[in-house]
Amino acid sequence: MAPGLLDLVHLTTWAVCAVIKLPQLVAVLRAGSAWGLSLSSLLLELAGYLVFLRYQIYYGYPLETYLEYPIIIAQDVILIYCIMHFSGKARRALFYALIYWGSWYMLTLQKWIIDLAMNLCTFVSAASKLVQLQHLWQTKDSGQASALTWGMSVYTCAARIATTVMTTNDLAVLIRFIIMLILNIWVTATVLHYRKTKKTD
């Protein structure tokens, strides 16, 4: 991939990630409900993002390969708080914040911890998508789940597969993005399926 094309992929990934959770946030706020969304899924997703960001920083990877993660994390935190608020669990937010904050610092106490966490991060991130899928299958209703948000996640994973191959070529990172791409496509298709099913009823 030519350097100009690589820069374009980075830029479009950052642009998409700057607004990736906004369709989901708007849907939740407009409805005043988090129906169709799994809090457990988002908590797992946030854990995966934090580990991945910490791993990239620890190994000194180029900033452009992970610049979107602080933005996504901030959006996830806001979305999680909204879901907790609408489900009457807002008081738990401080507890989760302390757990994540403590984990952020513990990850780099020893090299083996961050390496193990990165390998487990793929499973945690995959579990977050599978929990959301299970929630959709159980309710047979996509509720406030945003197909646009999930579709943007498909794009960013595909883009990051290309940028990883061109920059760091880190196998653990590449495997993570391939698995997330497949699962994001699956969740997007499921959200669209239940949205279509609901409209035809």
Side-chain angles (χ1 to χ4, degrees):
M1 187 180 296
L5 185 56
L6 182 61
D7 291 340
L8 179 64
V9 173
H10 284 310
L11 286 172
T12 58
T13 301
W14 300 332
V16 168
C17 288
V19 297
I20 197 164
K21 298 289 181 173
L22 293 184
Q24 189 64 76
L25 279 165
V26 168
V28 168
L29 292 172
R30 277 190 184 155
S33 165
W35 180 256
L37 298 173
S38 168
L39 177 60
S40 299
S41 170
L42 284 165
L43 291 169
L44 287 169
E45 179 180 73
L46 180 59
Y49 287 159
L50 288 169
V51 168
F52 185 76
L53 177 61
R54 193 66 163 159
Y55 178 86
Q56 296 280 327
I57 293 168
Y58 182 83
Y59 280 104
Y61 285 155
L63 181 63
E64 60 269 9
T65 63
Y66 63 88
L67 184 62
E68 69 272 17
Y69 278 86
I71 298 164
I72 297 171
I73 289 167
Q75 291 176 57
D76 248 3
V77 167
I78 294 166
L79 183 58
I80 288 168
Y81 182 77
C82 287
I83 291 170
M84 289 179 153
H85 172 74
F86 289 123
S87 61
K89 299 176 183 174
R91 290 185 177 194
R92 293 185 188 175
L94 180 59
F95 170 75
Y96 287 118
L98 291 173
I99 295 289
Y100 286 120
W101 181 77
S103 298
W104 174 261
Y105 288 99
M106 289 176 46
L107 283 170
T108 55
L109 290 176
Q110 302 246 338
K111 181 184 179 301
W112 69 268
I113 296 173
I114 190 68
D115 290 340
L116 177 63
M118 180 58 195
N119 288 321
L120 294 175
C121 168
T122 299
F123 294 109
V124 169
S125 295
S128 78
K129 311 307 182 212
L130 293 171
V131 168
Q132 181 61 46
L133 280 166
Q134 180 186 23
H135 183 76
L136 291 167
W137 294 331
Q138 285 176 340
T139 62
K140 297 188 184 332
D141 183 0
S142 59
Q144 307 315 314
S146 170
L148 181 56
T149 291
W150 287 101
M152 288 191 284
S153 294
V154 169
Y155 172 77
T156 60
C157 283
R160 283 301 174 211
I161 289 169
T163 61
T164 300
V165 168
M166 294 304 299
T167 55
T168 64
N169 211 18
D170 186 313
L171 186 60
V173 172
L174 190 59
I175 289 169
R176 179 183 188 277
F177 282 127
I178 291 168
I179 292 170
M180 293 308 100
L181 174 65
I182 293 165
L183 291 172
N184 283 330
I185 290 169
W186 195 358
V187 173
T188 304
T190 305
V191 167
L192 291 171
H193 169 74
Y194 286 124
R195 180 141 311 135
K196 184 179 178 184
T197 302
K198 189 175 180 182
K199 285 181 181 177
T200 59
D201 287 346

